[in-house]
Amino acid sequence: GFSDPLYVAAGVSVTHKRREVFERCDLIVQVRGLGANPARGSQDLEFLRPEHTLIGLADPLTVSVAAESYASAGVTSFA
C-alpha cells in the first residue's frame, strides 16, 4: 500500500474521521454498508444527507431496513 503522505503529496485530502468523510463527500463507496454490516452500519445513518450517493454492499433484499433507512434519509443507494 501507499502511505498517507504520498497521497497528500499527490493532492488527496486524508482524514481518519468518519464524520468528516460524510461531510466532505457526495459519493461514498463502502465495502460493507448498513445491510451488510448490521453491527456498525447504523452508525453512519446520522451522517447521511440527501445529496449523498452510496455505492456498496448493503444486502437490500434480505435486510430491508437498510434500503428503508437510506430512503428515509433521501439518499441514493446502489447495492
Side-chain angles (χ1 to χ4, degrees):
F2 297 97
S3 65
D4 289 350
L6 288 174
Y7 281 104
V8 172
V12 174
S13 296
V14 175
T15 182
H16 297 281
K17 298 176 182 166
R18 197 165 189 85
R19 176 183 297 276
E20 192 173 327
V21 171
F22 282 84
E23 289 172 351
R24 297 171 76 181
C25 299
D26 292 330
L27 174 65
I28 310 287
V29 179
Q30 293 183 310
V31 175
R32 297 184 70 207
L34 175 58
N37 187 6
R40 301 200 56 200
S42 62
Q43 295 174 354
D44 293 340
L45 292 175
E46 68 179 286
F47 305 139
L48 295 176
R49 61 182 198 272
E51 298 84 22
H52 280 135
T53 298
L54 299 177
I55 300 172
L57 302 177
D59 203 8
L61 297 178
T62 56
V63 185
S64 61
V65 69
E68 292 165 3
S69 296
Y70 292 153
S72 293
V75 170
T76 300
S77 175
F78 296 94

